Amino acid sequence: MDSLKNCKPADWETGFESKQSAESLMPYKEYTGLIEKSDNDQRQYRLIRLPNNLVALCVQDTEAKEAAASLSVNVGSNANPAEFQGLAHFLEHMLFLGTEKYPKEGEFDEYLANNSGRSNAYTSFTETNYYFSIFNGALENALDRFAQFFISPLFNADCVDRELKAVDSEYKGTLQADNWRTFQLTARTSDPAHPYSGFSVGNTETLKGAAEKLGLDLREELIKFYQKYYSADIMRLTVVGNHSLDVLTEWVASKFSGIASKGNTKPTFEGHPIGKAQLGKLIHYKTVCEKYTLGLQFSLPELKSIYREKPLTYLSTLLDSTEEGSIFSVLRKNGWATAINGSPSNMYNEGFGIYEIDIDATPEGLDNYEAILSIVFGYLKMLAESGPQEWFYQELSLINKAKFDFKDKENAE
């Protein structure tokens, strides 16, 4: 495993060898470098790039009880037009409603249900992910149906109002959820010029209501969004099954090469959602449930480029510690907190990073929040002045290497 120390991630250009699938002779490129995996992992992996620049990971698991696939599009609520908040999420709902090849609405879900399968999707700030699992023997036909959603979706006009109601129902379901309320509060108090400040879920008012006010057709705006952003160049696919790598490669190459390549359509934007104008603010809010929380947010640069070094794992381990001398040990002795957690809000945000420290406080702790803040910032100052400790970093590296090497096997989904 020492050879992994100098292993670099694939850059999607170098280290790929041109090949053809065995049956349909579809061209693709296979990554010939080392794919890191646990010593305990008996699965076989093949990383390929199709002619349309879609990158796929084929995974053979001879012991898999079911097969699964997941396709991630590197666009999410960060691309919502200002006049149509929640459009990316609405697209997620509308995509699985029939295609030119399989026009019957609900045909995909029916096929999955008949083969012990299920599907779901989600929209985050930077991606929209679609996934399903199914009986191994039905994987090929499921992939064929799945691929068509990204090739020729119909966006059935008859389904618009129903799916709007589904989105609106999701939105209403978040109104009494403290985690969603806190998330939206964070968004609304960030820089209004940054897409992070938008309304990610959407509802009837921000979608249909907005279209009516502007005299536009919501379905047509949805199709424009899809045509603009849904490009094979920003898609990543993973397929897991008990079939051979050659068979999985054949299916991926023959079924997903038809997705249009439009270049790198990933949204880009400047600035940080937590700029100078947003720093140093204290916000009080009332929760739905009886809970007392003290949350801190810190503005950071983009973190993706340093994911291998994991500086925030180092920081979070110290902040989450319950050992003597930790933040929590002091707060607990004073009866001010029951838990503390430090973590990035999303490691994969584009162009910026946000680090959060959340403290589950007691009523007395909340009354003494200024003293808690003094303890937290005093600890952070001490860490900054002492600098990173090599021995601690190496200890964390060894622990995480052991976790990786002896990681338990997970289900395909």
Side-chain angles (χ1 to χ4, degrees), residues 380-400:
L380 292 175
K381 182 181 179 182
M382 180 269 293
L383 292 180
E385 290 176 347
S386 60
Q389 302 297 303
E390 178 68 20
W391 68 268
F392 186 63
Y393 185 84
Q394 293 302 326
E395 184 177 283
L396 285 179
S397 297
L398 290 173
I399 291 172
N400 282 287

Side-chain angles (χ1 to χ4, degrees), residues 279-282 294-299 319 327 331 340 355 357 359 369-385:
L279 293 172
K281 289 188 176 181
L282 178 64
L294 182 62
L296 296 90
Q297 285 194 326
F298 298 85
S299 174
L319 291 176
I327 294 175
L331 299 182
I340 183 172
Y355 190 81
I357 300 176
I359 298 171
Y369 75 87
E370 291 181 331
I372 292 178
L373 290 177
S374 179
I375 292 169
V376 171
F377 281 101
Y379 188 82
L380 292 175
K381 182 181 179 182
M382 180 269 293
L383 292 180
E385 290 176 347

Side-chain angles (χ1 to χ4, degrees), residues 194 269-275 279 297-307 311-312 315 343-356:
H194 196 281
F269 37 84
E270 297 181 354
H272 198 293
I274 304 179
L279 293 172
Q297 285 194 326
F298 298 85
S299 174
L300 296 178
E302 183 177 308
L303 304 168
K304 289 172 61 177
S305 61
I306 54 173
Y307 81 97
L312 296 186
L315 178 60
S343 63
S345 64
N346 186 338
M347 274 293 293
Y348 306 103
N349 283 329
E350 301 284 346
F352 69 94
I354 297 176
Y355 190 81
E356 300 176 337

Side-chain angles (χ1 to χ4, degrees), residues 18-182:
S18 296
K19 294 194 174 184
Q20 284 185 328
S21 61
E23 185 176 334
S24 62
L25 303 181
M26 292 293 295
Y28 68 91
K29 292 187 176 181
E30 180 180 341
Y31 181 62
T32 57
L34 179 66
I35 295 179
E36 298 178 40
K37 68 174 187 175
S38 165
D39 292 341
N40 205 35
D41 187 356
Q42 299 304 308
R43 291 170 171 169
Q44 298 299 313
Y45 299 85
R46 179 179 292 170
L47 183 67
I48 65 174
R49 189 174 79 240
L50 304 183
N52 58 5
N53 290 321
L54 183 147
V55 177
L57 181 66
C58 300
V59 185
Q60 178 190 10
D61 184 351
T62 57
E63 299 177 350
K65 295 181 180 179
E66 62 180 5
S70 171
L71 190 147
S72 175
V73 189
N74 198 182
V75 61
S77 60
N78 58 354
N80 281 335
E83 63 273 23
F84 292 111
Q85 294 293 291
L87 191 62
H89 181 215
F90 183 47
L91 171 55
E92 172 211 311
H93 277 252
M94 288 290 294
L95 193 67
F96 278 13
L97 301 177
T99 63
E100 291 181 7
K101 185 174 182 179
Y102 300 100
K104 179 183 175 183
E105 182 191 342
E107 200 276 344
F108 180 59
D109 288 336
E110 182 180 331
Y111 182 80
L112 293 180
N114 290 336
N115 290 280
S116 305
R118 55 198 175 277
S119 69
N120 211 333
Y122 65 84
T123 303
S124 71
F125 183 67
T126 57
E127 73 162 327
T128 308
N129 186 276
Y130 304 87
Y131 57 96
F132 72 87
S133 60
I134 197 167
F135 165 64
N136 271 292
L139 177 60
E140 179 183 8
N141 289 331
L143 287 173
D144 193 53
R145 289 161 170 79
F146 187 60
Q148 291 301 311
F149 292 125
F150 307 96
I151 297 174
S152 59
L154 295 177
F155 298 117
N156 195 327
D158 295 335
C159 302
V160 170
D161 286 341
R162 185 191 67 206
E163 294 307 315
L164 271 172
K165 290 179 180 178
V167 169
D168 200 63
S169 178
E170 269 192 63
Y171 157 68
K172 290 177 180 176
T174 68
L175 294 177
Q176 300 301 310
D178 281 319
N179 61 329
W180 275 100
R181 289 160 63 92
T182 303

